[in-house]
Structures are given as structure tokens and as C-alpha cells.
Amino acid sequence: MNSHQQLEKILQHNKDGSYSTQSARADVLHQYINDMHQAGYKDFKLLKV
């Protein structure tokens, strides 16, 4: 399971806020993962968000 899949699983269980807030949270966290991959961090596991 890659980090984006891990994040989606975590976000499914964290439904705090409106749909807009949930979507914005997901967008920011996916961008963070993309930035981490570009910085050279390829294999990391998300434990908590």
C-alpha cells in the first residue's frame, strides 16, 4: 500500500468538518506526500494524521 492509499484509508475514518473542509484537508495532505516524494522520501508509512 503506497502513502496515498494509506492517506485515503486514514481520511475515511476522519470525517471531521464539512465536505469542503474534508476535501481541502485531503488536497493539502496529498500535496504534502507529493512534495515528500520529490524531496526523495519514497517509502514511508503514515501512522496518524
Side-chain angles (χ1 to χ4, degrees), residues 6-23:
Q6 292 173 31
L7 176 60
E8 284 301 320
K9 189 172 182 178
I10 291 170
L11 291 174
Q12 287 176 359
H13 296 286
N14 181 10
K15 300 237 181 213
D16 295 338
S18 67
Y19 291 120
S20 174
T21 299
Q22 293 173 32
S23 177

Side-chain angles (χ1 to χ4, degrees), residues 12-49:
Q12 287 176 359
H13 296 286
N14 181 10
K15 300 237 181 213
D16 295 338
S18 67
Y19 291 120
S20 174
T21 299
Q22 293 173 32
S23 177
R25 180 185 306 122
D27 290 345
V28 168
L29 292 172
H30 279 291
Q31 184 58 50
Y32 176 76
I33 290 172
N34 291 337
D35 292 346
M36 294 294 288
H37 285 173
Q38 287 180 345
Y41 295 93
K42 298 294 181 192
D43 294 323
F44 58 91
K45 295 189 183 211
L46 300 176
L47 302 176
K48 293 182 181 180
V49 173

